[in-house]
Amino acid sequence: MASGGPSFLLLSMVPTILLLCIDFACCNTGRRTSDGLDTDFTGFSVPLEHSFEVDDVSQFRVRGALQLRGGRETSVSLSQNQLSEEDRSTLKEVAAVDGLYRIRVPRVSLSADRQSDRPMDGFLTAFVRACSLVESHLSDVITLHTDVSGFLIGVSIVTIPGACRGTEVEDEVDLEAFNTTLNVIAPTNAPQPETALFIERMDMENEKRGKPQEQKSFFAKYWMYIVPLVLFLMMSGAQDQSGGGAGGGGANGGR
Amino acid sequence: MKPSAKMAKLVPLLAVFFYLVCVSEAVFEDQVGKFDWRRQYVGKVLFASFDSPSQSSKKLFVATDKNIFASLNSRTGDLFWRHVDKMGPEGAVDTLLVNAQDALMVIGDGRLLRSWDTNVGGLNWEVVLDTGSFQAACFVGIQDTVKHVAVLKKTAISLHYLSNGHQKWVENLPDSDTVKYQAVYSGGGEEVFVLGMVPHSHLTITVYSLEDGEIIRQVTGPQLSNDYIFTFITFALLAIILLVSCSFSTFIFFSFPLPFSEDGSTIAPLRDFQPLYVHAFLKKDDSVGYRVLVQTEDHALTFIQLLARSRVVWTREEALADVVTMEMVDLPLTGTQAELEGEFGKKADGLLPMVMKRLSSQVILLQAWMAHLWKLFYEARKPRSQIKNEVTIETLSRDEFNLQKMMVMVTASGKLFGIDSKSGTILWKHYLENVQPNAAFKLIVQRTTAHFPHPPQCTLLIKDKDTGLATLHVFNPIFGRKSQISLPALPRPILQSLLLPVIDQDYAKCLLLVDDQYKVTAFPSTKNVMQQLQEMASSIFFYLVDSEQGTLSGFRLRKDLSSELIWEVVLPTEVQKIVAVKGKRPSEHVHSQGRVMGDRSVLYKYLNPNLLAVVTESTDTHPERAFVGMFLVDGVTGRIIHEAVQRKARGPIHFVHSENWVVYEYWNTKSRRNEFSVLELFEGTELYNSTVFSSLDRPHLPQVLQQSYIFPSPITTMEATLTEKGITSRHLLVGLPSGAILSLPKMFLDPRRPEVVNEHSREENLIPYAPEMPIRTEWFINYNQTISRLKGIYTAPSGLESTCLVVAYGLDIYQTRVYPSKQFDVLKDDYDYVLISSVLFALFFATMISKRLAEVKLLNRAWR
């Protein structure tokens, strides 16, 4: 990231010579930059467009603007307009015929050093049933998905609650402003096999099992057998001396 | 305190131990071949040869396009032995020469010269040849004793000793840049002839001395106007050069030795040129007999004996060495059962006729039963060896537990086969002509056997990879006959095909074909289907994948059978490319909605039938930066459910997507080992909507658990077992490069395996986490029946919940059954019926007697 800045500056001056250097700088993507950097690094905005038509032929209009702030921590905020009277009635009509409400965003890169690249053609589109949008009173969750290098790869929209129950939305005020939650999801790193922890655990177990056995002396190990044996021997020895006489006496008595 | 802690440690260990004892499912020796079979193939024959020129010779040597050298029994067509070399041009067989005990092969465009012992198939020696593209080779012998072999390359000729492969001499060919040398020949003298041609000009013959490789003389032949392929033929101590022009229309014979004399030219059209091997031999009465080995276009290898009575001795279906796709279809019921079933299918027509029909069908059943009993009685008297258990297409019927099925196999050559899964007998075959060699096939079962009296129906979609144009072949999978159904016209390239659960009045499922203008063609396109389609259009979604552009796009069907784009996900191709996309198998059943955890709460599975697993690989192949991406995308809404990146990993990726889990295998570039990773999706402890699943109404993302393991072997293919109701635990069938199939319990691939064992995990029977996945030899389901070049594994449920049928195909075909949870619903083979029934009877009589005694006693007491 740090090397990206200066090399861009150099590129604008001597574009041909330093192509190789640039390749190295943004080798994560393998893409080449074509123009310089006029955009500021603090952030940029892309339009969020939506479409809802009764005849289901999509005609996208601007719904709001996504403020993207690249960098180590990408942050996104959304500023959007209120729905006009006309839009509200169209939306209700579309909901009545179970039409779709679609949104789209242009394909851009969220990371700061790449948003100045040549603009990518095409859009990412997603949809939700218009009726569920109406019934949820325009409360939707828009999620932007990025790939490892920060390109937007997909967008999704869901409403909460998501079901169409056929409940009438009487109040026009409910359909005026969007109540949008915006998320950006980057790919998670899949776990590697946990060898270190396992070996550590095994070692600990071995230690636990191994140590006491080694430390114990012969006597410590078998005291429970030795003590009764000794006691028994002592007892029998003592009895031998006293009881021996008695026994002897008994024997004598028997004679 | 101490003993209890010790016990705590012991208990899971013991549990694991007992579990392992339980799951060991190796076959017993007496079960070998009882439920499984293997067929071995060699592929399309390129070279063939007999070992001796007599009628008694039993061996046949073949070298094939699959880089295989094999010996066949000429009486039965069975394999004696087989050597499988590397795939691709590296192991390609250039030529095969057989002389008595030695078989010589030049391999890999003149890279290696190998000598095999023809008796046992052992390798005598192997030498590496000088570089240069291979042209021809021949044995060089003086008066019938062959001691050398000459190898002709583009620019050089070399002579090797037959005994050890050492090079005797090597000589550069003169003027090799202008002369195309094509053949080498030895007439049995001290000379080696090399035949070359200057294109569009003349022939040259160079004669080398056998002793030291000196050029004895060079001769220039007559003028030729065309390009010719030519070969030497020896006949009556004369060598004849046979010239065949490239258009196969002209033969020119030249006699040899020199000088050339043009004997004659013939024009004979030789269109359907089949490679033949003709073997002539002298019979006992000194007449000449012939045996012919014919390789036909459909890759069948036929051996014909032409004696007084010509006959086909055997036929090998070598097309089966290259199976592309397959399906398993239930066999039909027997006629009587079908009669009974048919009764329910028909429309009710009055009470009395129904009663009559019921009575008549039961009479038929009774008759069949009597006939069966009579047959049993009759056969019991005969010695066992005489009873034939041959399977023919007439006797085919479903068995009690639906364990015997029809395997419909599609091969790359365009030949279809119907194989009985129990015995491996080929019951029908059908050759599709005009199939391009690089065509893609998709086999779809449109109607199963369950809808008597309608015959089952399979549809094969054949798509030309270059043009994208598709054709349909509709047939009956039980008999292989082509159905007389009018096929839809498909003038445009087909992008996607999908089978809908929409059923027409004949119970055939509707197949939708999407063309490159996103228009949809339905098959069958009856009025009934079209009406249903129009009603359902707004709830029919499909997706398309363009891996070159990196786009996944979703469409919705319109009422006029056009479609509209509704979502799009784009994975930039600069970063990663889509390698594979897999959904779930539609025939899959999941029995339990969740998993009971240690604290008695339930963790519900995220069972989204529309979920797609998309696997990508990074374009950057540097070991530090390479990665493998795993995207779980909802196929209806295009929502990315989960997105994970396996760093420092690359393909080839093998993965299985089923129930609520995905298992994938990749190569770890940092640690240089193969690893398994498992993803499981759970909704949590509460279900959002427990009655019905809809992709459009599932706002919350599932919880995703993942764990990785080291696997000590590379793998070639992977599949999961499948059972009727999904109650039986799942196993993964992993094909290893050694040809073994490992049945790996899914229990070992569970992301909830705990690092530290506690009360709850013990309650749940979770195996403590160990980073390495074991490979136990008793888990190999195919014991020593290895499958060469394993390409795919197909699993199908049987009528028994415990049993899953498995077919593995590659160069060989192997069929077996697996019991992932052991045979819990079947009595064992050695179940003691006598003991149980005698105990029952004994108890019965004991009760009777004691009852009688008790009565007598009561009576006596009453009298007292």
Side-chain angles (χ1 to χ4, degrees):
Chain A
M1 199 75 77
S3 68
S7 54
F8 277 140
L9 284 167
L10 281 171
L11 177 74
S12 54
M13 290 185 280
V14 269
T16 44
I17 304 165
L18 282 167
L19 213 75
L20 205 133
C21 163
I22 286 308
D23 264 359
F24 181 69
C26 46
C27 46
N28 267 343
T29 58
R31 299 183 72 246
R32 286 188 176 80
T33 48
S34 53
D35 44 14
L37 58 163
D38 313 10
T39 347
D40 57 344
F41 273 75
T42 50
F44 63 107
S45 78
V46 290
L48 171 71
E49 294 168 299
H50 63 175
S51 152
F52 42 97
E53 300 295 326
V54 181
D55 57 355
D56 251 356
V57 178
S58 48
Q59 281 182 341
F60 284 98
R61 299 178 295 273
V62 174
R63 165 174 159 178
L66 286 165
Q67 292 290 333
L68 305 169
R69 204 177 299 273
R72 206 156 282 280
E73 267 190 25
T74 52
S75 68
V76 179
S77 57
L78 177 66
S79 59
Q80 46 195 357
N81 319 327
Q82 288 196 337
L83 280 181
S84 66
E85 186 73 36
E86 192 187 337
D87 282 346
R88 283 201 296 261
S89 62
T90 323
L91 188 62
K92 283 182 92 174
E93 274 172 43
V94 173
V97 297
D98 195 13
L100 301 185
Y101 172 84
R102 301 144 194 262
I103 57 163
R104 73 172 187 190
V105 288
R107 292 175 56 197
V108 285
S109 170
L110 289 190
S111 58
D113 55 343
R114 249 173 252 118
Q115 38 109 336
S116 53
D117 289 8
R118 69 176 162 81
M120 278 180 290
D121 47 338
F123 293 89
L124 304 165
T125 47
F127 72 96
V128 73
R129 287 165 81 188
C131 55
S132 68
L133 188 71
V134 170
E135 285 177 34
S136 67
H137 305 290
L138 300 188
S139 44
D140 55 354
V141 181
I142 295 178
T143 313
L144 300 170
H145 295 269
T146 67
D147 71 353
V148 276
S149 52
F151 286 111
L152 268 191
I153 57 164
V155 60
S156 71
I157 176 168
V158 287
T159 59
I160 294 175
C164 281
R165 292 203 174 76
T167 47
E168 276 291 312
V169 180
E170 295 295 338
D171 201 355
E172 288 279 313
V173 184
D174 283 342
L175 294 180
E176 235 164 41
F178 284 100
N179 171 21
T180 306
T181 317
L182 195 65
N183 294 324
V184 181
I185 296 184
T188 54
N189 276 336
Q192 304 272 336
E194 281 284 350
T195 39
L197 211 79
F198 181 74
I199 291 169
E200 205 175 290
R201 210 181 72 209
M202 290 290 280
D203 283 349
M204 265 166 61
E205 254 171 51
N206 277 345
E207 258 175 45
K208 256 189 214 165
R209 211 178 301 155
K211 258 185 193 166
Q213 279 182 358
E214 283 161 26
Q215 285 173 348
K216 273 180 187 171
S217 63
F218 176 80
F219 188 77
K221 245 185 206 169
Y222 302 109
W223 64 268
M224 65 276 260
Y225 306 108
I226 294 166
V227 169
L229 194 80
V230 170
L231 274 175
F232 177 73
L233 281 175
M234 276 166 64
M235 295 280 281
S236 61
Q239 249 179 6
D240 233 22
Q241 282 176 359
S242 59
N252 286 338
R255 203 192 273 175
Chain B
M1 177 87 185
K2 226 179 199 176
S4 72
K6 221 177 227 173
M7 275 301 284
K9 225 181 291 160
L10 256 170
V11 164
L13 280 176
L14 275 177
V16 170
F17 174 74
F18 281 117
Y19 174 73
L20 293 181
V21 168
C22 282
V23 295
S24 71
E25 45 171 337
V27 280
F28 291 101
E29 197 176 348
D30 59 340
Q31 287 179 320
V32 165
K34 208 172 164 191
F35 308 115
D36 62 316
W37 51 263
R38 178 178 67 164
R39 298 281 175 275
Q40 291 186 302
Y41 297 95
V42 292
K44 186 186 172 188
V45 173
L46 299 178
F47 304 98
S49 180
F50 276 90
D51 68 336
S52 69
S54 70
Q55 195 181 355
S56 62
S57 106
K58 248 175 72 176
K59 272 192 207 123
L60 198 64
F61 303 104
V62 291
T64 70
D65 66 337
K66 299 251 181 276
N67 305 349
I68 286 163
F69 177 46
S71 172
L72 302 175
N73 185 337
S74 64
R75 308 244 159 98
T76 60
D78 295 337
L79 274 178
F80 281 125
W81 45 258
R82 182 179 76 171
H83 290 285
V84 182
D85 204 347
K86 283 178 196 149
M87 272 302 272
E90 216 177 330
V93 182
D94 293 324
T95 190
L96 169 70
L97 301 167
V98 177
N99 175 52
Q101 300 293 306
D102 300 296
L104 267 128
M105 275 165 71
V106 181
I107 288 164
D109 199 19
R111 197 171 56 89
L112 292 172
L113 180 65
R114 276 186 196 150
S115 164
W116 303 90
D117 186 306
T118 56
N119 282 332
V120 290
L123 183 70
N124 290 333
W125 48 260
E126 178 187 82
V127 290
V128 180
L129 298 175
D130 298 334
T131 51
S133 93
F134 173 79
Q135 295 294 333
C138 83
F139 285 120
V140 180
I142 307 164
Q143 267 96 41
D144 291 348
T145 52
V146 177
K147 285 207 170 136
H148 301 100
V149 59
V151 179
L152 180 74
K153 297 236 179 159
K154 206 163 188 176
T155 56
I157 177 169
S158 59
L159 199 75
H160 298 262
Y161 290 100
L162 194 56
S163 53
N164 53 16
H166 291 180
Q167 189 172 289
K168 188 173 185 183
W169 49 261
V170 58
E171 289 295 327
N172 281 328
L173 296 164
D175 308 325
S176 57
D177 43 348
T178 52
V179 185
K180 273 168 74 184
Y181 289 96
Q182 288 185 14
V184 58
Y185 171 73
S186 162
E190 293 273 338
E191 293 162 329
V192 180
F193 302 90
V194 175
L195 187 61
M197 178 164 55
V198 181
H200 307 291
S201 179
H202 60 272
L203 288 176
T204 68
I205 293 180
T206 316
V207 187
Y208 285 90
S209 157
L210 175 62
E211 212 43 57
D212 50 5
E214 261 180 56
I215 296 174
I216 298 173
R217 59 182 186 276
Q218 267 182 294
V219 190
T220 309
Q223 294 292 314
L224 295 167
S225 58
N226 234 325
D227 265 346
Y228 288 91
I229 302 163
F230 50 93
T231 178
F232 282 102
I233 293 175
T234 42
F235 185 72
L237 299 175
L238 271 178
I240 295 172
I241 305 170
L242 170 69
L243 284 135
V244 184
S245 86
C246 289
S247 55
F248 288 116
S249 61
T250 321
F251 284 116
I252 304 174
F253 293 100
F254 292 102
S255 71
F256 208 68
L258 312 167
F260 284 107
S261 63
E262 197 172 321
D263 276 4
S265 67
T266 338
I267 294 174
L270 268 176
R271 215 152 285 143
D272 301 305
F273 199 73
Q274 302 277 16
L276 290 179
Y277 184 83
V278 184
H279 177 227
F281 57 88
L282 284 178
K283 288 192 286 184
K284 279 171 196 141
D285 54 354
D286 280 356
S287 60
V288 182
Y290 299 97
R291 293 191 289 190
V292 187
L293 189 65
V294 187
Q295 167 82 61
T296 45
E297 212 180 355
D298 59 352
H299 295 195
L301 191 66
T302 314
F303 190 68
I304 304 164
Q305 193 139 3
L306 301 163
L307 292 169
R309 202 164 52 83
S310 301
R311 66 189 178 97
V312 172
V313 186
W314 48 259
T315 304
R316 284 180 68 89
E317 292 294 349
E318 291 302 336
L320 284 170
D322 203 352
V323 174
V324 183
T325 176
M326 67 167 294
E327 281 291 338
M328 266 182 156
V329 184
D330 292 353
L331 289 174
L333 302 163
T334 54
T336 46
Q337 282 171 314
E339 178 74 26
L340 208 66
E341 290 269 318
E343 194 186 316
F344 299 108
K346 279 167 198 153
K347 298 275 175 292
D349 42 7
L351 191 66
L352 201 67
M354 288 282 278
V355 171
M356 290 308 289
K357 204 180 274 169
R358 161 54 57 92
L359 283 178
S360 71
S361 56
Q362 281 190 336
V363 166
I364 291 169
L365 270 185
L366 190 72
Q367 269 178 350
W369 187 63
M370 296 291 274
H372 178 69
L373 279 187
W374 172 247
K375 199 176 154 214
L376 273 185
F377 175 69
Y378 192 72
E379 274 176 359
R381 295 191 326 184
K382 276 201 286 187
R384 189 163 279 189
S385 58
Q386 277 185 19
I387 303 168
K388 278 184 196 165
N389 266 328
E390 263 184 34
V391 189
T392 56
I393 213 147
E394 285 78 28
T395 58
L396 269 188
S397 66
R398 198 182 300 178
D399 60 335
E400 219 174 334
F401 298 123
N402 202 2
L403 289 164
Q404 187 180 7
K405 292 196 179 195
M406 177 67 85
M407 293 158 53
V408 180
M409 296 195 128
V410 182
T411 63
S413 63
K415 199 170 186 183
L416 309 182
F417 291 90
I419 300 175
D420 168 41
S421 77
K422 200 173 186 183
S423 59
T425 344
I426 296 172
L427 295 174
W428 58 263
K429 47 202 166 195
H430 182 88
Y431 181 57
L432 299 171
E433 282 165 37
N434 309 324
V435 169
Q436 299 299 318
N438 64 345
F441 297 93
K442 188 174 177 187
L443 187 62
I444 302 139
V445 182
Q446 275 197 295
R447 181 166 55 217
T448 60
T449 325
H451 305 285
F452 186 82
H454 300 288
Q457 181 180 321
C458 272
T459 303
L460 181 67
L461 182 72
I462 308 152
K463 186 174 147 182
D464 192 312
K465 266 196 186 139
D466 297 329
T467 60
L469 290 175
T471 48
L472 292 177
H473 172 72
V474 185
F475 61 100
N476 179 335
I478 305 299
F479 302 106
R481 282 193 294 264
K482 194 174 175 185
S483 301
Q484 304 299 324
I485 292 180
S486 60
L487 296 173
L490 301 168
R492 304 210 60 87
I494 297 297
L495 298 179
Q496 172 78 293
S497 64
L498 56 156
L499 192 67
L500 294 183
V502 175
I503 284 177
D504 73 349
Q505 70 270 30
D506 293 338
Y507 304 100
K509 281 184 187 163
C510 177
L511 179 70
L512 289 190
L513 301 162
V514 185
D515 68 18
D516 63 343
Q517 287 180 339
Y518 311 116
K519 283 245 165 64
V520 172
T521 313
F523 171 73
S525 53
T526 54
K527 217 182 209 173
N528 182 325
V529 170
M530 295 316 243
Q531 199 181 337
Q532 287 188 59
L533 273 185
Q534 279 182 4
E535 281 166 19
M536 289 176 62
S538 63
S539 61
I540 295 175
F541 299 86
F542 59 88
Y543 68 94
L544 295 176
V545 182
D546 185 349
S547 58
E548 273 170 31
Q549 305 287 326
T551 57
L552 289 147
S553 37
F555 293 83
R556 186 166 78 152
L557 199 65
R558 286 211 188 109
K559 283 199 173 21
D560 59 346
L561 292 192
S562 64
S563 56
E564 53 180 335
L565 180 76
I566 50 170
W567 58 264
E568 202 165 16
V569 168
V570 186
L571 301 167
T573 46
E574 296 93 333
V575 182
Q576 53 196 333
K577 56 180 189 299
I578 298 172
V579 186
V581 178
K582 254 190 210 172
K584 289 178 195 174
R585 288 175 68 163
S587 55
E588 182 180 273
H589 293 276
V590 181
H591 180 71
S592 67
Q593 286 274 312
R595 287 182 58 165
V596 182
M597 295 200 294
D599 58 358
R600 297 285 156 215
S601 62
V602 176
L603 190 60
Y604 288 100
K605 295 175 184 171
Y606 180 76
L607 298 167
N608 183 349
N610 309 315
L611 198 65
L612 303 174
V614 181
V615 175
T616 64
E617 269 188 64
S618 62
T619 37
D620 192 347
T621 51
H622 187 276
E624 280 296 314
R625 294 186 297 268
F627 65 86
V628 166
M630 172 59 79
F631 298 86
L632 300 178
V633 181
D634 190 303
V636 170
T637 62
R639 189 178 183 199
I640 298 176
I641 302 291
H642 184 66
E643 194 183 347
V645 167
Q646 193 82 47
R647 302 269 176 190
K648 300 187 182 84
R650 67 171 166 81
I653 316 282
H654 301 276
F655 68 110
V656 176
H657 181 200
S658 176
E659 283 188 38
N660 64 329
W661 47 266
V662 179
V663 172
Y664 61 95
E665 189 258 12
Y666 57 91
W667 172 257
N668 187 328
T669 51
K670 192 189 172 202
S671 312
R672 292 159 188 274
R673 64 191 177 200
N674 290 88
E675 288 178 4
F676 261 117
S677 197
V678 57
L679 280 159
E680 278 196 25
L681 290 89
F682 292 100
E683 288 222 354
T685 47
E686 269 176 48
L687 269 182
Y688 178 77
N689 179 353
S690 56
T691 47
V692 69
F693 186 94
S694 166
S695 284
L696 297 169
D697 178 20
R698 253 321 115 139
H700 304 292
L701 284 175
Q703 301 169 13
V704 181
L705 302 176
Q706 187 168 14
Q707 219 169 46
S708 299
Y709 315 90
I710 303 163
F711 193 66
S713 164
I715 74 167
T716 48
T717 184
M718 190 153 67
E719 188 55 82
T721 59
L722 194 66
T723 51
E724 182 88 8
K725 299 267 184 280
I727 299 168
T728 309
S729 60
R730 308 290 294 269
H731 276 204
L732 283 175
L733 301 171
V734 182
L736 305 180
S738 62
I741 300 173
L742 184 76
S743 179
L744 188 66
K746 171 70 181 57
M747 204 171 175
F748 279 91
L749 289 157
D750 183 350
R752 302 188 59 246
R753 281 175 69 175
E755 301 264 344
V756 181
V757 185
N758 59 21
E759 201 69 39
H760 289 318
S761 66
R762 214 172 299 136
E763 184 77 29
E764 251 187 281
N765 267 335
L766 291 173
I767 309 166
Y769 180 79
E772 191 167 18
M773 196 64 65
I775 293 185
R776 279 166 221 280
T777 40
E778 67 264 26
W779 287 352
F780 291 146
I781 57 168
N782 55 342
Y783 46 104
N784 61 358
Q785 308 276 305
T786 53
I787 301 136
S788 298
R789 292 193 195 144
L790 187 63
K791 221 165 63 181
I793 298 173
Y794 179 87
T795 53
S798 72
L800 284 174
E801 173 53 34
S802 64
T803 310
C804 169
L805 303 175
V806 177
V807 181
Y809 53 88
L811 192 59
D812 308 337
I813 295 173
Y814 181 75
Q815 190 276 145
T816 191
R817 299 172 191 170
V818 288
Y819 319 100
S821 302
K822 302 195 82 180
Q823 285 181 286
F824 59 82
D825 50 2
V826 177
L827 291 179
K828 275 191 193 126
D829 277 350
D830 53 354
Y831 185 76
D832 206 338
Y833 294 97
V834 179
L835 185 75
I836 276 283
S837 43
S838 55
V839 164
L840 267 179
F841 276 114
L843 280 174
F844 176 72
F845 284 118
T847 12
M848 294 294 282
I849 291 163
S850 56
K851 195 181 167 194
R852 176 86 191 124
L853 286 178
E855 274 173 7
V856 169
K857 201 177 177 185
L858 269 177
L859 193 67
N860 285 343
R861 194 183 288 165
W863 274 108
R864 212 181 279 164

